[in-house]
Structure formats: C-alpha cells, structure tokens
Amino acid sequence: MSDKTFSELLNWRYATKKMDPTKSVPQDKVDAIIEAVRMAPTSSGTQPFKLFVVTNPEVQEQIKEAASGQTPITDGSHLLVFAAWDNYTEERIDYVKNLNIEGRGDIPLIHQYYDNLKAGYVPREAEVNYAHAARQAYIALGFAMVAAASLEVDSTPMEGFDPASVDQILGLKEKGLRSVVLLPLGYRDPTGDWLLPMPKVRKSRETMVTIID
Amino acid sequence: MSDKTFSELLNWRYATKKMDPTKSVPQDKVDAIIEAVRMAPTSSGTQPFKLFVVTNPEVQEQIKEAASGQTPITDGSHLLVFAAWDNYTEERIDYVKNLNIEGRGDIPLIHQYYDNLKAGYVPREAEVNYAHAARQAYIALGFAMVAAASLEVDSTPMEGFDPASVDQILGLKEKGLRSVVLLPLGYRDPTGDWLLPMPKVRKSRETMVTIID
C-alpha cells in the first residue's frame, strides 16, 4: 500500500488520458484491484455483474475502436469491463441464496429473504432490473478506483463507448450481460498527458453538501 | 488512517445492522468521508448529486420511518443522503463549465466539450438523465464506504426506503433532486448485531471474473 494518506491518494488519482504502453501493472496489484471489486457491497449481496479483465491486445484494439479510439484502452496493460446482469432471474437469485446457505447455514431467514427478493424483482421490467444492477457495478467501480489509487496504479473510468459493440466483442448478450463501464489500468505517461498538469476541478463543499442539524 | 491493509479493511467493513447510539463519529472523520464524496470522479466532472448530512434526531426519525424502521438511521450519529439531479439542464452544465474555466482557464476546448454535453444531454428524457446521475452517486457511495472503513467508521448502505417520502422530508423535489441511497455512519454494537458474527458471503473470483488474454 502507498504511504500517501487517503486524501493524498484521492488527489493523486485522475482520469489518466495517456498511459505509458511500456509499463505493465504487476499481477499482485491487479489481483488486489479485482479483490476490491469482489468485496464491494451490493444490494442484497447479489453482486449482479461480472468483471472481464482484458489483456489480449487484439480484443483491446477492438474495444478501443468501439470507444472513439481512447488510447488508455490499449496503452494500459489491463482493461476492466464491468458487465451488469440484463435482468434479475429466479436462477440468479437462487444462486445467491444458495451461496448464503453454504456460508451461513440453512436458516429460514435466508430462504425468506431471497424468496421475497425474487417475488419483488423477477416480475419487474428487465430494464428496471438492469438499471438497478448497473448501479451496483458502479459501487464496485468506486472500490476498484480507490484500490488502484492505493497501489499507485492509474485508471481511467470510461462511459464513452458503444455498449452494443462491446457486448458483441465480448459475447455478453448470450451471457445475459450488458457492458456498463470500462476501467483501463496502467501507468500515466507524465510527458504525454494533457490532463495531468491541469488543476483538479471539484465543486466546493458548500455547493455540494447540506448539513441538517 | 487505520493500520489495517486495504484488503483487511474490505473484510472488516460490513453493512452494520446495529449501531451503538452512545457513540458519535468525530467531526474530522466525518469531514474526511465527505471529502471522499467530493473528490470521487463523475462523468464529465458533473458531480450530478448533492450530499445531505443529517444529524438532527427528529429528521433522522422521520427518515427511519420512511425506511422500514432500520435502526442505524437513528443509532448512527450521521446520516448521509445521496440525492441525484432529477435531470441535466443547461444551467447545471453551465455551472460545471464555468467551474472548469475558473480552474483551468478560458480555453476553447472546455467550451466545446460542455456545449457538446449540453447538446447531448439536455434533450434526453429526464428519467434517462436521472438514471445516469444516480450512477455517478454510486461511485461516490463506494468512495464514502472505503473512506469510512479506512477510518474504522462503520456504515450501512441502504436502498430500502421510500424515495418519495425522503424527498418530501428533505424538500428535494423543489431543489430538482431525488434521493438515491442512504448511508448512516456510526459504530457497530458488537453485542447487538446479528450480522456481525456471520461469515461474509461473496461469489468466488472464478464465478465473477473472466480473463481474456
């Protein structure tokens, strides 16, 4: 872990626009970032998304083409693709229920909880369920970015891509998944990044926060 | 900051079900968690949400009633409410544009970028824009939870509340905001929390992650 403070890490990180293609994130750091995604909390513990870790240069190249040519996708060593469930189904929720029973015992509360969840979620429109699943992926995205920063690994969150193309490149539709957000991992190229020298811009605390005391 | 490793922190944190009402999170730690929310990256830097920090016991009580009586809302010392923009508007995007101009100079790229954003976002349906804004709040939620854990402050992410009621309690509609997610902050009551002794349940890495190399 970095010896920077948490606040320093949040200032150090930025949406890296130019990564150094000669540098690769070591496997132990990639593993720690993946672990942060896996440990991120999600609604009812459903973890309603999958994570794709793309290191294949040809696949990275295809995804870059579907993302207006943004170079961190190929200059980074690892591309994370967060792909949310296209819907909540009986099978998917039962899988989570069984995982809870395995871990915590076959207790009535677990059955009751997930049976209620199925009754609530499964009849809803797929689009509503997908939107809910996608939000959960964004929690994990947040965890991944903080984890990367804590290891002084750069990352670039990207929504600017054609989801249908990325879904096709990774065969997501057949798996009942939809690509939500991309996160290339790598190392900044300090000489080539126009954004790096620019001050970070954030709203003031006064603008963003309301205290109700 | 905690002397736990990042991985230990992710295992230490859990969705605290019973908080100790006699303990209060110190102001410097609350400030650090708010700062993590403020520094969290968002799409095009829009930060399309506001954060309400509720310490007023009567308001906490009202919100608890709108959230099936979940006790961390009143037993925690601080309740964070993330409230997303109900829509993207010219004014809101211009505010962000001007903030960027203040911080980075009056350069054509900034005008071009945010004028394009307005052209793309403003005509979209409010519901589409709200959904996009809500996702950004979830990144900040992730940052807040990791920040809290790094300070060994407990937190409980909650979607299980009636948004219309919370919007009314906080007067959000008039502000063009919609409540998205709650995050009470406080300290676990180790003797009273049924969830604490239970093992953490997560999908295996093999289930969640696909490597494309």
PDB file of all heavy atoms in Angstrom, chain A residues 113-140:
ATOM      1  N   TYR A 113     -35.818 -14.290   2.980  1.00  0.00           N
ATOM      2  CA  TYR A 113     -35.292 -13.052   2.419  1.00  0.00           C
ATOM      3  C   TYR A 113     -35.199 -13.134   0.896  1.00  0.00           C
ATOM      4  O   TYR A 113     -35.674 -12.244   0.171  1.00  0.00           O
ATOM      5  CB  TYR A 113     -33.917 -12.744   3.027  1.00  0.00           C
ATOM      6  CG  TYR A 113     -33.374 -11.409   2.582  1.00  0.00           C
ATOM      7  CD1 TYR A 113     -33.712 -10.241   3.261  1.00  0.00           C
ATOM      8  CD2 TYR A 113     -32.564 -11.304   1.466  1.00  0.00           C
ATOM      9  CE1 TYR A 113     -33.248  -9.010   2.840  1.00  0.00           C
ATOM     10  CE2 TYR A 113     -32.087 -10.074   1.031  1.00  0.00           C
ATOM     11  CZ  TYR A 113     -32.426  -8.936   1.714  1.00  0.00           C
ATOM     12  OH  TYR A 113     -31.974  -7.717   1.300  1.00  0.00           O
ATOM     13  N   TYR A 114     -34.570 -14.201   0.405  1.00  0.00           N
ATOM     14  CA  TYR A 114     -34.352 -14.276  -1.046  1.00  0.00           C
ATOM     15  C   TYR A 114     -35.617 -14.668  -1.802  1.00  0.00           C
ATOM     16  O   TYR A 114     -35.777 -14.308  -2.972  1.00  0.00           O
ATOM     17  CB  TYR A 114     -33.151 -15.166  -1.370  1.00  0.00           C
ATOM     18  CG  TYR A 114     -31.856 -14.442  -1.047  1.00  0.00           C
ATOM     19  CD1 TYR A 114     -31.116 -14.744   0.094  1.00  0.00           C
ATOM     20  CD2 TYR A 114     -31.405 -13.414  -1.855  1.00  0.00           C
ATOM     21  CE1 TYR A 114     -29.949 -14.053   0.416  1.00  0.00           C
ATOM     22  CE2 TYR A 114     -30.247 -12.709  -1.553  1.00  0.00           C
ATOM     23  CZ  TYR A 114     -29.523 -13.029  -0.426  1.00  0.00           C
ATOM     24  OH  TYR A 114     -28.382 -12.330  -0.114  1.00  0.00           O
ATOM     25  N   ASP A 115     -36.530 -15.382  -1.139  1.00  0.00           N
ATOM     26  CA  ASP A 115     -37.815 -15.655  -1.794  1.00  0.00           C
ATOM     27  C   ASP A 115     -38.613 -14.359  -1.953  1.00  0.00           C
ATOM     28  O   ASP A 115     -39.238 -14.123  -2.997  1.00  0.00           O
ATOM     29  CB  ASP A 115     -38.595 -16.721  -1.008  1.00  0.00           C
ATOM     30  CG  ASP A 115     -37.924 -18.098  -1.133  1.00  0.00           C
ATOM     31  OD1 ASP A 115     -37.048 -18.264  -2.020  1.00  0.00           O
ATOM     32  OD2 ASP A 115     -38.245 -18.998  -0.338  1.00  0.00           O
ATOM     33  N   ASN A 116     -38.547 -13.508  -0.937  1.00  0.00           N
ATOM     34  CA  ASN A 116     -39.163 -12.170  -1.063  1.00  0.00           C
ATOM     35  C   ASN A 116     -38.521 -11.368  -2.185  1.00  0.00           C
ATOM     36  O   ASN A 116     -39.186 -10.662  -2.930  1.00  0.00           O
ATOM     37  CB  ASN A 116     -39.006 -11.375   0.247  1.00  0.00           C
ATOM     38  CG  ASN A 116     -40.019 -11.798   1.294  1.00  0.00           C
ATOM     39  OD1 ASN A 116     -41.019 -12.445   0.988  1.00  0.00           O
ATOM     40  ND2 ASN A 116     -39.740 -11.448   2.546  1.00  0.00           N
ATOM     41  N   LEU A 117     -37.206 -11.469  -2.247  1.00  0.00           N
ATOM     42  CA  LEU A 117     -36.489 -10.721  -3.279  1.00  0.00           C
ATOM     43  C   LEU A 117     -36.921 -11.174  -4.675  1.00  0.00           C
ATOM     44  O   LEU A 117     -37.179 -10.345  -5.559  1.00  0.00           O
ATOM     45  CB  LEU A 117     -34.969 -10.914  -3.102  1.00  0.00           C
ATOM     46  CG  LEU A 117     -34.096  -9.836  -3.711  1.00  0.00           C
ATOM     47  CD1 LEU A 117     -34.164  -8.545  -2.909  1.00  0.00           C
ATOM     48  CD2 LEU A 117     -32.637 -10.301  -3.795  1.00  0.00           C
ATOM     49  N   LYS A 118     -37.013 -12.464  -4.862  1.00  0.00           N
ATOM     50  CA  LYS A 118     -37.464 -12.984  -6.155  1.00  0.00           C
ATOM     51  C   LYS A 118     -38.868 -12.481  -6.477  1.00  0.00           C
ATOM     52  O   LYS A 118     -39.130 -12.034  -7.597  1.00  0.00           O
ATOM     53  CB  LYS A 118     -37.463 -14.523  -6.136  1.00  0.00           C
ATOM     54  CG  LYS A 118     -36.097 -15.128  -6.372  1.00  0.00           C
ATOM     55  CD  LYS A 118     -36.188 -16.619  -6.631  1.00  0.00           C
ATOM     56  CE  LYS A 118     -36.438 -17.382  -5.338  1.00  0.00           C
ATOM     57  NZ  LYS A 118     -36.363 -18.857  -5.539  1.00  0.00           N
ATOM     58  N   ALA A 119     -39.749 -12.551  -5.477  1.00  0.00           N
ATOM     59  CA  ALA A 119     -41.134 -12.105  -5.691  1.00  0.00           C
ATOM     60  C   ALA A 119     -41.175 -10.625  -6.084  1.00  0.00           C
ATOM     61  O   ALA A 119     -42.007 -10.198  -6.878  1.00  0.00           O
ATOM     62  CB  ALA A 119     -41.955 -12.344  -4.430  1.00  0.00           C
ATOM     63  N   GLY A 120     -40.242  -9.845  -5.534  1.00  0.00           N
ATOM     64  CA  GLY A 120     -40.211  -8.415  -5.846  1.00  0.00           C
ATOM     65  C   GLY A 120     -39.534  -8.109  -7.170  1.00  0.00           C
ATOM     66  O   GLY A 120     -39.987  -7.255  -7.934  1.00  0.00           O
ATOM     67  N   TYR A 121     -38.421  -8.784  -7.437  1.00  0.00           N
ATOM     68  CA  TYR A 121     -37.582  -8.398  -8.585  1.00  0.00           C
ATOM     69  C   TYR A 121     -37.968  -9.072  -9.900  1.00  0.00           C
ATOM     70  O   TYR A 121     -37.956  -8.430 -10.957  1.00  0.00           O
ATOM     71  CB  TYR A 121     -36.112  -8.752  -8.308  1.00  0.00           C
ATOM     72  CG  TYR A 121     -35.367  -7.802  -7.398  1.00  0.00           C
ATOM     73  CD1 TYR A 121     -35.996  -6.741  -6.737  1.00  0.00           C
ATOM     74  CD2 TYR A 121     -33.986  -7.973  -7.194  1.00  0.00           C
ATOM     75  CE1 TYR A 121     -35.282  -5.898  -5.901  1.00  0.00           C
ATOM     76  CE2 TYR A 121     -33.266  -7.118  -6.357  1.00  0.00           C
ATOM     77  CZ  TYR A 121     -33.922  -6.082  -5.718  1.00  0.00           C
ATOM     78  OH  TYR A 121     -33.211  -5.242  -4.904  1.00  0.00           O
ATOM     79  N   VAL A 122     -38.246 -10.360  -9.844  1.00  0.00           N
ATOM     80  CA  VAL A 122     -38.385 -11.108 -11.106  1.00  0.00           C
ATOM     81  C   VAL A 122     -39.517 -10.565 -11.980  1.00  0.00           C
ATOM     82  O   VAL A 122     -39.353 -10.470 -13.200  1.00  0.00           O
ATOM     83  CB  VAL A 122     -38.517 -12.629 -10.838  1.00  0.00           C
ATOM     84  CG1 VAL A 122     -38.770 -13.397 -12.142  1.00  0.00           C
ATOM     85  CG2 VAL A 122     -37.249 -13.158 -10.146  1.00  0.00           C
ATOM     86  N   PRO A 123     -40.665 -10.163 -11.388  1.00  0.00           N
ATOM     87  CA  PRO A 123     -41.739  -9.644 -12.269  1.00  0.00           C
ATOM     88  C   PRO A 123     -41.472  -8.255 -12.838  1.00  0.00           C
ATOM     89  O   PRO A 123     -42.189  -7.835 -13.742  1.00  0.00           O
ATOM     90  CB  PRO A 123     -42.966  -9.573 -11.337  1.00  0.00           C
ATOM     91  CG  PRO A 123     -42.590 -10.334 -10.104  1.00  0.00           C
ATOM     92  CD  PRO A 123     -41.101 -10.252  -9.992  1.00  0.00           C
ATOM     93  N   ARG A 124     -40.466  -7.542 -12.339  1.00  0.00           N
ATOM     94  CA  ARG A 124     -40.238  -6.179 -12.829  1.00  0.00           C
ATOM     95  C   ARG A 124     -39.713  -6.200 -14.274  1.00  0.00           C
ATOM     96  O   ARG A 124     -39.152  -7.203 -14.734  1.00  0.00           O
ATOM     97  CB  ARG A 124     -39.192  -5.461 -11.948  1.00  0.00           C
ATOM     98  CG  ARG A 124     -39.662  -5.226 -10.522  1.00  0.00           C
ATOM     99  CD  ARG A 124     -38.819  -4.191  -9.789  1.00  0.00           C
ATOM    100  NE  ARG A 124     -37.390  -4.473  -9.777  1.00  0.00           N
ATOM    101  CZ  ARG A 124     -36.532  -3.897  -8.937  1.00  0.00           C
ATOM    102  NH1 ARG A 124     -36.966  -2.998  -8.049  1.00  0.00           N
ATOM    103  NH2 ARG A 124     -35.250  -4.186  -8.975  1.00  0.00           N
ATOM    104  N   GLU A 125     -39.836  -5.073 -14.932  1.00  0.00           N
ATOM    105  CA  GLU A 125     -39.293  -4.990 -16.290  1.00  0.00           C
ATOM    106  C   GLU A 125     -37.782  -5.182 -16.293  1.00  0.00           C
ATOM    107  O   GLU A 125     -37.092  -4.684 -15.396  1.00  0.00           O
ATOM    108  CB  GLU A 125     -39.600  -3.609 -16.881  1.00  0.00           C
ATOM    109  CG  GLU A 125     -40.996  -3.525 -17.472  1.00  0.00           C
ATOM    110  CD  GLU A 125     -41.222  -2.156 -18.097  1.00  0.00           C
ATOM    111  OE1 GLU A 125     -40.333  -1.676 -18.840  1.00  0.00           O
ATOM    112  OE2 GLU A 125     -42.275  -1.565 -17.817  1.00  0.00           O
ATOM    113  N   ALA A 126     -37.300  -5.855 -17.317  1.00  0.00           N
ATOM    114  CA  ALA A 126     -35.859  -6.121 -17.428  1.00  0.00           C
ATOM    115  C   ALA A 126     -35.061  -4.826 -17.331  1.00  0.00           C
ATOM    116  O   ALA A 126     -34.012  -4.775 -16.681  1.00  0.00           O
ATOM    117  CB  ALA A 126     -35.551  -6.837 -18.744  1.00  0.00           C
ATOM    118  N   GLU A 127     -35.561  -3.768 -17.930  1.00  0.00           N
ATOM    119  CA  GLU A 127     -34.824  -2.501 -17.961  1.00  0.00           C
ATOM    120  C   GLU A 127     -34.658  -1.911 -16.555  1.00  0.00           C
ATOM    121  O   GLU A 127     -33.613  -1.341 -16.236  1.00  0.00           O
ATOM    122  CB  GLU A 127     -35.552  -1.516 -18.884  1.00  0.00           C
ATOM    123  CG  GLU A 127     -34.687  -0.405 -19.426  1.00  0.00           C
ATOM    124  CD  GLU A 127     -33.509  -0.877 -20.273  1.00  0.00           C
ATOM    125  OE1 GLU A 127     -33.574  -1.942 -20.929  1.00  0.00           O
ATOM    126  OE2 GLU A 127     -32.478  -0.159 -20.258  1.00  0.00           O
ATOM    127  N   VAL A 128     -35.682  -2.053 -15.736  1.00  0.00           N
ATOM    128  CA  VAL A 128     -35.621  -1.581 -14.352  1.00  0.00           C
ATOM    129  C   VAL A 128     -34.579  -2.392 -13.577  1.00  0.00           C
ATOM    130  O   VAL A 128     -33.767  -1.844 -12.815  1.00  0.00           O
ATOM    131  CB  VAL A 128     -37.015  -1.703 -13.668  1.00  0.00           C
ATOM    132  CG1 VAL A 128     -36.920  -1.419 -12.168  1.00  0.00           C
ATOM    133  CG2 VAL A 128     -38.014  -0.770 -14.329  1.00  0.00           C
ATOM    134  N   ASN A 129     -34.609  -3.696 -13.786  1.00  0.00           N
ATOM    135  CA  ASN A 129     -33.660  -4.557 -13.082  1.00  0.00           C
ATOM    136  C   ASN A 129     -32.226  -4.319 -13.551  1.00  0.00           C
ATOM    137  O   ASN A 129     -31.294  -4.296 -12.746  1.00  0.00           O
ATOM    138  CB  ASN A 129     -34.055  -6.025 -13.268  1.00  0.00           C
ATOM    139  CG  ASN A 129     -35.229  -6.399 -12.374  1.00  0.00           C
ATOM    140  OD1 ASN A 129     -35.441  -5.795 -11.312  1.00  0.00           O
ATOM    141  ND2 ASN A 129     -36.001  -7.404 -12.780  1.00  0.00           N
ATOM    142  N   TYR A 130     -32.065  -4.141 -14.857  1.00  0.00           N
ATOM    143  CA  TYR A 130     -30.729  -3.837 -15.377  1.00  0.00           C
ATOM    144  C   TYR A 130     -30.204  -2.533 -14.774  1.00  0.00           C
ATOM    145  O   TYR A 130     -29.046  -2.453 -14.345  1.00  0.00           O
ATOM    146  CB  TYR A 130     -30.754  -3.748 -16.905  1.00  0.00           C
ATOM    147  CG  TYR A 130     -29.557  -3.000 -17.435  1.00  0.00           C
ATOM    148  CD1 TYR A 130     -28.289  -3.564 -17.370  1.00  0.00           C
ATOM    149  CD2 TYR A 130     -29.690  -1.700 -17.951  1.00  0.00           C
ATOM    150  CE1 TYR A 130     -27.180  -2.861 -17.809  1.00  0.00           C
ATOM    151  CE2 TYR A 130     -28.591  -0.995 -18.392  1.00  0.00           C
ATOM    152  CZ  TYR A 130     -27.342  -1.578 -18.322  1.00  0.00           C
ATOM    153  OH  TYR A 130     -26.244  -0.883 -18.738  1.00  0.00           O
ATOM    154  N   ALA A 131     -31.071  -1.516 -14.714  1.00  0.00           N
ATOM    155  CA  ALA A 131     -30.632  -0.221 -14.160  1.00  0.00           C
ATOM    156  C   ALA A 131     -30.176  -0.391 -12.712  1.00  0.00           C
ATOM    157  O   ALA A 131     -29.165   0.199 -12.293  1.00  0.00           O
ATOM    158  CB  ALA A 131     -31.774   0.801 -14.246  1.00  0.00           C
ATOM    159  N   HIS A 132     -30.870  -1.207 -11.970  1.00  0.00           N
ATOM    160  CA  HIS A 132     -30.502  -1.458 -10.572  1.00  0.00           C
ATOM    161  C   HIS A 132     -29.179  -2.218 -10.498  1.00  0.00           C
ATOM    162  O   HIS A 132     -28.307  -1.894  -9.685  1.00  0.00           O
ATOM    163  CB  HIS A 132     -31.622  -2.238  -9.876  1.00  0.00           C
ATOM    164  CG  HIS A 132     -31.373  -2.457  -8.423  1.00  0.00           C
ATOM    165  ND1 HIS A 132     -30.932  -3.660  -7.927  1.00  0.00           N
ATOM    166  CD2 HIS A 132     -31.463  -1.629  -7.359  1.00  0.00           C
ATOM    167  CE1 HIS A 132     -30.789  -3.553  -6.604  1.00  0.00           C
ATOM    168  NE2 HIS A 132     -31.095  -2.334  -6.239  1.00  0.00           N
ATOM    169  N   ALA A 133     -29.023  -3.206 -11.352  1.00  0.00           N
ATOM    170  CA  ALA A 133     -27.771  -3.986 -11.366  1.00  0.00           C
ATOM    171  C   ALA A 133     -26.593  -3.095 -11.759  1.00  0.00           C
ATOM    172  O   ALA A 133     -25.504  -3.194 -11.177  1.00  0.00           O
ATOM    173  CB  ALA A 133     -27.904  -5.168 -12.329  1.00  0.00           C
ATOM    174  N   ALA A 134     -26.828  -2.213 -12.722  1.00  0.00           N
ATOM    175  CA  ALA A 134     -25.742  -1.337 -13.191  1.00  0.00           C
ATOM    176  C   ALA A 134     -25.254  -0.428 -12.067  1.00  0.00           C
ATOM    177  O   ALA A 134     -24.048  -0.191 -11.919  1.00  0.00           O
ATOM    178  CB  ALA A 134     -26.223  -0.500 -14.381  1.00  0.00           C
ATOM    179  N   ARG A 135     -26.181   0.055 -11.247  1.00  0.00           N
ATOM    180  CA  ARG A 135     -25.767   0.898 -10.120  1.00  0.00           C
ATOM    181  C   ARG A 135     -24.833   0.144  -9.180  1.00  0.00           C
ATOM    182  O   ARG A 135     -23.888   0.721  -8.638  1.00  0.00           O
ATOM    183  CB  ARG A 135     -26.989   1.333  -9.305  1.00  0.00           C
ATOM    184  CG  ARG A 135     -27.859   2.361  -9.978  1.00  0.00           C
ATOM    185  CD  ARG A 135     -28.947   2.769  -8.993  1.00  0.00           C
ATOM    186  NE  ARG A 135     -29.906   3.678  -9.586  1.00  0.00           N
ATOM    187  CZ  ARG A 135     -30.879   4.274  -8.901  1.00  0.00           C
ATOM    188  NH1 ARG A 135     -31.023   4.031  -7.604  1.00  0.00           N
ATOM    189  NH2 ARG A 135     -31.710   5.099  -9.491  1.00  0.00           N
ATOM    190  N   GLN A 136     -25.126  -1.125  -8.964  1.00  0.00           N
ATOM    191  CA  GLN A 136     -24.275  -1.910  -8.066  1.00  0.00           C
ATOM    192  C   GLN A 136     -22.854  -2.012  -8.644  1.00  0.00           C
ATOM    193  O   GLN A 136     -21.874  -1.984  -7.918  1.00  0.00           O
ATOM    194  CB  GLN A 136     -24.843  -3.318  -7.841  1.00  0.00           C
ATOM    195  CG  GLN A 136     -26.328  -3.353  -7.486  1.00  0.00           C
ATOM    196  CD  GLN A 136     -26.708  -2.455  -6.325  1.00  0.00           C
ATOM    197  OE1 GLN A 136     -26.004  -2.443  -5.305  1.00  0.00           O
ATOM    198  NE2 GLN A 136     -27.789  -1.696  -6.462  1.00  0.00           N
ATOM    199  N   ALA A 137     -22.795  -2.146  -9.971  1.00  0.00           N
ATOM    200  CA  ALA A 137     -21.478  -2.207 -10.615  1.00  0.00           C
ATOM    201  C   ALA A 137     -20.696  -0.919 -10.371  1.00  0.00           C
ATOM    202  O   ALA A 137     -19.465  -0.931 -10.290  1.00  0.00           O
ATOM    203  CB  ALA A 137     -21.633  -2.474 -12.113  1.00  0.00           C
ATOM    204  N   TYR A 138     -21.419   0.191 -10.251  1.00  0.00           N
ATOM    205  CA  TYR A 138     -20.741   1.473 -10.008  1.00  0.00           C
ATOM    206  C   TYR A 138     -20.159   1.559  -8.598  1.00  0.00           C
ATOM    207  O   TYR A 138     -19.175   2.276  -8.378  1.00  0.00           O
ATOM    208  CB  TYR A 138     -21.691   2.641 -10.283  1.00  0.00           C
ATOM    209  CG  TYR A 138     -21.643   3.098 -11.722  1.00  0.00           C
ATOM    210  CD1 TYR A 138     -22.035   2.254 -12.746  1.00  0.00           C
ATOM    211  CD2 TYR A 138     -21.185   4.371 -12.061  1.00  0.00           C
ATOM    212  CE1 TYR A 138     -21.979   2.662 -14.060  1.00  0.00           C
ATOM    213  CE2 TYR A 138     -21.125   4.790 -13.386  1.00  0.00           C
ATOM    214  CZ  TYR A 138     -21.524   3.939 -14.372  1.00  0.00           C
ATOM    215  OH  TYR A 138     -21.450   4.342 -15.679  1.00  0.00           O
ATOM    216  N   ILE A 139     -20.767   0.884  -7.635  1.00  0.00           N
ATOM    217  CA  ILE A 139     -20.132   0.810  -6.311  1.00  0.00           C
ATOM    218  C   ILE A 139     -18.777   0.108  -6.456  1.00  0.00           C
ATOM    219  O   ILE A 139     -17.756   0.581  -5.948  1.00  0.00           O
ATOM    220  CB  ILE A 139     -21.008   0.018  -5.314  1.00  0.00           C
ATOM    221  CG1 ILE A 139     -22.367   0.686  -5.112  1.00  0.00           C
ATOM    222  CG2 ILE A 139     -20.273  -0.160  -3.981  1.00  0.00           C
ATOM    223  CD1 ILE A 139     -23.323  -0.123  -4.232  1.00  0.00           C
ATOM    224  N   ALA A 140     -18.807  -1.017  -7.172  1.00  0.00           N
ATOM    225  CA  ALA A 140     -17.569  -1.786  -7.360  1.00  0.00           C
ATOM    226  C   ALA A 140     -16.542  -1.001  -8.171  1.00  0.00           C
ATOM    227  O   ALA A 140     -15.333  -1.091  -7.918  1.00  0.00           O
ATOM    228  CB  ALA A 140     -17.885  -3.125  -8.028  1.00  0.00           C
TER     229      ALA A 140
END
